[in-house]
Structure formats: C-alpha cells, structure tokens
Amino acid sequence: MTTAIVTGATSGIGRAVAELLHSQQFHVIGTSRDASSISDPVPGVEYRDLDLTDSASIRTFADGLRDIDVDVLVNNAGESQCGPLEELPMDAVNRLFQLNVFGAIELIQCVLPGMRERRRGTIVNVGSMLASFPLAYRSSYAATKAALNGFSTAARYELKPFGIDITTVEPGSIDTGLSARRTKYCGPHSP
C-alpha cells in the first residue's frame, strides 16, 4: 500500500487532502501537534503527534517511520500572522519561519533517504499565492511561503535524478479557518 504523510491533517486543506488520499487507497498518516485532542478525525487516517516548531518532535516522529516506506509527503501544516512590519515581534516571525519553512525542510530531510533508496517519491509543499502576489500587512507570512517555494524549486533539480518530485502548490483564498486563527499584531496606537 502507498503511504502518504499529511501534516496539519486536522482541518482545512490538510484534512481535505487526507480524506482524498484515503479514498484513493493510500495509507495516510496525518499529523497534529496533539493527536489525542482531535475531536473529529478523518475515518481511516492514522494520526500521530508532530510539532514542526520542535526539532525533538520532528526526530521522534521520523523515528516512528523507520519501518514505513513513505511515498508521499504533503507539507501542509502552517500558521499565518499579519500586522504592520514595524510591529511584528521578531520572536513571532522566527516561530512562523520555524513552522512554515524550517520544520517542513527538516521533515523533508527525514524522508529523503528512503525515497532516494527506492528511487521514487513525491513531496508537495503547500504554499500560498501570497508568495507570488504579496499583500500589505502580510509580509512575514508571504515571506515564509516565498521561501518554501524557492526551496522547492531549487531542490527539484537535485532530487529529480533520484526519481523524487518536489513541488509547491499556491492556493488562493480558501475558507479553511486559517484566517480566523491568524495572529494579528497591531497596537492601539499603530500608525
């Protein structure tokens, strides 16, 4: 059976992708920061804990995949933030890059050896059209998605000889609930 990992598989795009892959007979491993708290899991999807802001969590997750051939990785987990550039706290910007970019890259590094050994694999990074068409007050989020796109484009050339495809999809505005969860930084006396 073909195995796919879908990060952030509890809502929005990740949930829809997990449902679709399961309906296509994939063994789907969905991730959540706390899999035990999922109130409405996708039937048939195996959920595991993964916090992409924590390298130890990523290593623990990867260690749990040692006997599994991962064929597809969908890096979907992410968060959004907005606010005027001068009011974005650097610790929040760093956390956003860790989750949306660095954690995804670290997870890719974990699954690549097996894909390379089998000479096949597909990696899909879920970006955003804001990477190509940025909006004011969304600079940090747009930057993370642009970084993920640039990473995927460059990595495609080095992975292709090993039969591994890596790509980024850039969806537009989709009602996934992400906007409602977006962290907003704008003080009461903001210019």
Side-chain angles (χ1 to χ4, degrees):
M1 178 177 278
T2 305
T3 298
I5 295 171
V6 180
T7 67
T10 58
S11 64
I13 293 170
R15 181 181 176 90
V17 169
E19 287 174 343
L20 177 66
L21 290 172
H22 178 67
S23 75
Q24 299 296 314
Q25 307 306 310
F26 281 74
H27 168 223
V28 179
I29 299 171
T31 75
S32 172
R33 281 182 296 243
D34 182 7
S36 67
S37 70
I38 300 171
S39 60
D40 185 25
V42 175
V45 172
E46 175 188 345
Y47 285 95
R48 296 187 184 187
D49 291 343
L50 175 62
D51 181 349
L52 290 169
T53 65
D54 179 358
S55 286
S57 175
I58 295 169
R59 283 190 303 277
T60 299
F61 177 79
D63 287 347
L65 300 172
R66 288 182 196 246
D67 297 326
I68 298 173
D69 291 342
V70 177
D71 302 291
V72 176
L73 170 60
V74 180
N75 270 316
N76 167 73
E79 291 179 2
S80 182
Q81 61 184 217
C82 66
L85 172 61
E86 65 187 289
E87 296 183 42
L88 293 174
M90 280 311 300
D91 62 333
V93 174
N94 286 329
R95 184 183 185 289
L96 191 67
F97 268 86
Q98 178 59 46
L99 174 58
N100 290 3
V101 183
F102 306 138
I105 292 170
E106 192 171 349
L107 186 56
I108 290 168
Q109 289 176 325
C110 291
V111 301
L112 275 179
M115 288 181 172
R116 191 180 60 255
E117 184 178 300
R118 290 185 306 281
R119 311 279 305 167
R120 70 179 191 284
T122 302
I123 300 165
V124 178
N125 292 315
V126 178
S128 168
M129 69 180 284
L130 290 181
S132 298
F133 304 99
L135 296 174
Y137 306 107
R138 303 292 303 285
S139 58
S140 55
Y141 179 75
T144 65
K145 295 305 184 174
L148 196 59
N149 185 44
F151 173 83
S152 298
T153 301
R156 183 175 307 122
Y157 298 110
E158 66 184 83
L159 298 178
K160 186 175 182 172
F162 299 103
I164 302 167
D165 186 35
I166 183 170
T167 192
T168 303
V169 294
E170 293 187 344
S173 182
I174 298 174
D175 185 11
T176 63
L178 183 67
S179 296
R181 295 186 305 272
R182 180 180 303 129
T183 307
K184 296 171 181 69
Y185 297 99
C186 189
H189 304 292
S190 175

